[in-house]
Amino acid sequence: MSVSTAAPPARPAGRRSPAAPRAAGLVALTVLLAAACLASLCVGAESVSPATVWSALWRPDGGDTALIVGLRVPRMLLGLLCGLALGLAGALMQGLTRNPLADPGLLGVDSGAAAAIVLAIAVLGVSTPGGYVWFAVAGAAAASVLVYLLGSAGRAATPERTVLAGAAVSAVLRAVVLAVLVLDAETFDAFRSWDVGSLAGRDAAVLADTAPLMLAGAVLALSLTRPLNVLALGDDTGRALGARLTRVRIGGIVAITLLCGAATAAVGPIGFVGLVVPHAARLLVGADQRWVLPYAALLAPVLLLLADVVGRLALYPSELQVGLVTAFLGAPVFIALCRRRRIGSL
């Protein structure tokens, strides 16, 4: 007696796996990101052709054009890395808290960085972007830890308690910042150039200090995509499926601190990128965090670099800081997303 095993039904000819169009989208976004990087190198008060940029990068002659391109390279790389960091931090924040209106400032990261920088300027006399970096990262880390401790005091941390703790800590830290700025005019003058959010005026030293932190945070964030999908089902279901919720939340907070803390330290607080980009990513690929985070990591630097290019041209020959441009661009985009698709819980 022979036992026959039925073969699984073949996929209809021409029908692609659901992952195929999403992977194709990643390729398309990578091409778009390369174009945005090229535009960042070519466009400005002194426009440079792509061929001249290529020659200046690989065969610098020491002329004015090579100098211009050399100054734009760290700016472009900072826009690339900080955009990636803010996009990932925003997507991770929204997935971690299951709050579709969450952004990286929700855990007090921005406020912690700002408070640390204000105190560094007022007390220690720090006056350069390179000097701000480690104070900002330390302030962001301290604020994130404080928020987590307050949100989990006496019990397990939940999205609701974490959000409330973040709002309270942010309010207190912003009050500290405002108090110092009102009392010290010199600190206000030094702080406002950082607080507006800008890619200009940052050199390779700032990039070298913050890039390892942002890359480490990106690796950690991408490693949490599967647990975030389980977390989206709710705490009880997540525990039943074997997810270690406390470990996931701690890992998420560490990743957000590294990503947003380093990016904020490097270029200042830049709004709307971490809020809008995850919604755009979910509009393209759905709620699966395995795709949302990679899409956000590519969409956000495209937005930031193009916003920087717009800022260079908007007030030619002067420049408009990228933090202001993202606010102008991000607000209507976010309104359009809200109108097109109802925002619900994640």
Side-chain angles (χ1 to χ4, degrees), residues 223-235:
S223 72
L224 296 174
T225 54
R226 290 182 182 274
L228 283 176
N229 280 337
V230 177
L231 191 64
L233 301 175
D235 287 8

Side-chain angles (χ1 to χ4, degrees), residues 58-191:
W58 298 106
R59 294 187 300 275
D61 56 7
D64 292 342
T65 301
L67 178 61
I68 291 171
V69 173
L71 292 174
R72 288 178 182 173
V73 168
R75 182 171 182 168
M76 180 272 291
L77 292 176
L78 265 179
L80 175 64
L81 284 176
C82 290
L84 179 147
L86 293 173
L88 279 176
L92 183 58
M93 170 70 72
Q94 292 176 12
L96 195 66
T97 63
R98 301 199 295 276
N99 182 350
L101 297 179
D103 71 349
L106 190 65
L107 284 186
V109 177
D110 288 351
S111 299
I117 287 178
V118 162
L119 294 176
I121 295 172
V123 178
L124 302 177
V126 179
S127 59
T128 62
Y132 299 156
V133 169
W134 294 108
F135 290 99
V137 172
S144 297
V145 171
L146 179 59
V147 167
Y148 182 79
L149 292 177
L150 291 175
S152 60
R155 64 195 78 178
T158 64
E160 294 79 9
R161 283 194 292 269
T162 302
V163 168
L164 290 174
V169 170
S170 295
V172 172
L173 291 175
R174 293 305 295 181
V176 171
V177 169
L178 292 175
V180 175
L181 295 182
V182 167
L183 296 174
D184 191 337
E186 293 183 2
T187 300
F188 173 75
D189 290 337
F191 177 74

Side-chain angles (χ1 to χ4, degrees), residues 176-272:
V176 171
V177 169
L178 292 175
V180 175
L181 295 182
V182 167
L183 296 174
D184 191 337
E186 293 183 2
T187 300
F188 173 75
D189 290 337
F191 177 74
R192 64 180 179 177
S193 63
W194 175 87
D195 192 45
V196 72
S198 176
L199 297 176
R202 273 61 170 176
D203 56 18
V206 174
L207 179 65
D209 286 339
T210 55
L213 300 177
M214 288 186 275
L215 292 174
V219 172
L220 180 56
L222 292 172
S223 72
L224 296 174
T225 54
R226 290 182 182 274
L228 283 176
N229 280 337
V230 177
L231 191 64
L233 301 175
D235 287 8
D236 294 337
T237 304
R239 291 190 187 94
L241 293 174
R244 299 178 178 180
L245 302 184
T246 300
R247 179 178 295 183
V248 173
R249 290 196 173 105
I250 291 176
I253 290 174
V254 171
I256 291 167
T257 301
L258 291 174
L259 290 167
C260 194
T264 304
V267 300
I270 294 179
F272 277 103

Side-chain angles (χ1 to χ4, degrees), residues 315-335:
L315 298 179
Y316 180 84
S318 299
E319 290 191 9
L320 190 64
Q321 285 82 359
V322 70
L324 300 177
V325 178
T326 57
F328 282 118
L329 295 179
V333 170
F334 185 60
I335 292 172

Side-chain angles (χ1 to χ4, degrees), residues 236-317:
D236 294 337
T237 304
R239 291 190 187 94
L241 293 174
R244 299 178 178 180
L245 302 184
T246 300
R247 179 178 295 183
V248 173
R249 290 196 173 105
I250 291 176
I253 290 174
V254 171
I256 291 167
T257 301
L258 291 174
L259 290 167
C260 194
T264 304
V267 300
I270 294 179
F272 277 103
V273 175
L275 178 62
V276 170
V277 166
H279 286 280
R282 285 193 293 273
L283 191 64
L284 293 172
V285 297
D288 190 342
Q289 299 293 341
R290 295 173 299 174
W291 292 100
V292 170
L293 266 69
Y295 266 71
L298 293 175
L299 281 169
V302 170
L303 172 62
L304 192 59
L305 288 170
L306 292 182
D308 187 43
V309 170
V310 170
R312 299 180 201 181
L313 301 177
L315 298 179
Y316 180 84

